[in-house]
Amino acid sequence: MPWHPVPLGFVFRSRAKSEKESAADKALVTDSKQTRDPQAPKGRPTPKRSVAQGQRRSVANTPTTRKEAAKRSRDERRAALEKQRQALATGDERYLPARDKGPVRRFARDYVDSRFHIAEFFLPLAVIILILSALPQAALKNISLLLWLFVIVLIVVDSISLGFRLKKQLRERFPDANTKGAVAYALMRTLQMRRLRLPKPQVKRGERP
């Protein structure tokens, strides 16, 4: 019987290498049996239908040109301004400007709107005083000057009184909140006529805030 020499590489072939090749073959067979979404990234699981639809909508809604991006930016800005305009009329906290947001500012507005204030009549009184001062009679000019001084004094006294009372109410109602600027915010609101105030008044005259 003839003797055939056995190659040394076959005899001394490492066992680890054989195991690696076997595992690789099994992995190839397993991967070939799995179905994969053609649009799914290679090596990643197929996304859920809702996720895939959201991704497709996001890609479809992404502006492709500078003109489309500018148009979308204008539309978003216009929508935000419209929401803000409605919020100023209804008092919706979600869309109010930053200076009007928060329970402290809301209380300050309600506190001002629930009372009469001399400062809110400043504009119509100023018009009357200017008309009197423009007349040729010296007596009427003197009356307009005295009336002007009287109105200024009343506004100052009323504003100081409002500031002290509002500070006290804020300390009692919001002991841990930041009330900085709330009094100045309220005083600026008194200078506006009630029907012209923004945000619109949410309480009636005499109603407690």
Side-chain angles (χ1 to χ4, degrees):
M1 184 173 182
W3 176 75
H4 299 285
V6 179
L8 293 178
F10 178 78
V11 175
F12 297 102
R13 190 177 184 182
S14 64
R15 181 177 180 184
K17 186 175 182 181
S18 301
E19 291 178 352
K20 289 180 181 179
E21 292 179 354
S22 177
D25 293 340
K26 290 181 180 179
L28 289 173
V29 173
T30 304
D31 291 343
S32 63
K33 291 181 180 180
Q34 292 179 349
T35 59
R36 185 173 66 87
D37 190 343
Q39 297 181 354
K42 189 175 181 180
R44 297 180 183 177
T46 303
K48 294 182 180 180
R49 178 178 296 179
S50 58
V51 176
Q53 290 177 350
Q55 292 175 350
R56 285 196 294 269
R57 282 195 296 267
S58 178
V59 173
N61 292 332
T62 302
T64 57
T65 63
R66 183 179 298 179
K67 185 177 180 180
E68 290 181 0
K71 182 178 181 300
R72 173 166 298 183
S73 178
R74 287 195 302 272
D75 292 341
E76 291 176 353
R77 186 165 57 251
R78 190 179 297 112
L81 290 175
E82 178 61 23
K83 288 181 179 180
Q84 188 178 101
R85 186 188 65 79
Q86 294 178 359
L88 290 173
T90 61
D92 190 347
E93 288 280 342
R94 295 174 298 172
Y95 304 110
L96 284 176
R99 66 181 180 85
D100 298 314
K101 282 186 177 180
V104 174
R105 296 300 174 97
R106 184 180 183 89
F107 177 78
R109 292 196 303 271
D110 292 345
Y111 193 84
V112 170
D113 297 336
S114 63
R115 293 165 172 79
F116 283 99
H117 301 280
I118 304 299
E120 65 184 283
F121 304 107
F122 174 77
L123 288 178
L125 288 174
V127 172
I128 295 174
I129 292 172
L130 288 175
I131 293 174
L132 291 176
S133 63
L135 296 176
Q137 291 83 356
L140 293 178
K141 289 184 178 181
N142 292 333
I143 291 174
S144 66
L145 180 60
L146 292 175
L147 185 59
W148 181 257
L149 293 175
F150 182 68
V151 169
I152 294 298
V153 170
L154 286 179
I155 291 176
V156 171
V157 172
D158 185 57
S159 298
I160 293 174
S161 175
L162 171 65
F164 279 115
R165 286 184 281 113
L166 181 57
K167 275 186 178 180
K168 181 180 178 182
Q169 291 291 325
L170 290 174
R171 284 196 299 265
E172 293 176 356
R173 291 176 178 257
F174 308 98
D176 301 325
N178 182 15
T179 60
K180 184 178 179 180
V183 174
Y185 174 78
L187 293 177
M188 291 298 296
R189 190 171 177 85
T190 61
L191 294 173
Q192 302 169 344
M193 298 180 67
R194 181 181 173 87
R195 66 179 63 184
L196 300 179
R197 292 172 184 170
L198 291 175
K200 293 289 186 182
Q202 302 297 315
V203 295
K204 298 178 180 179
R205 302 274 195 187
E207 183 179 351
R208 295 187 62 182

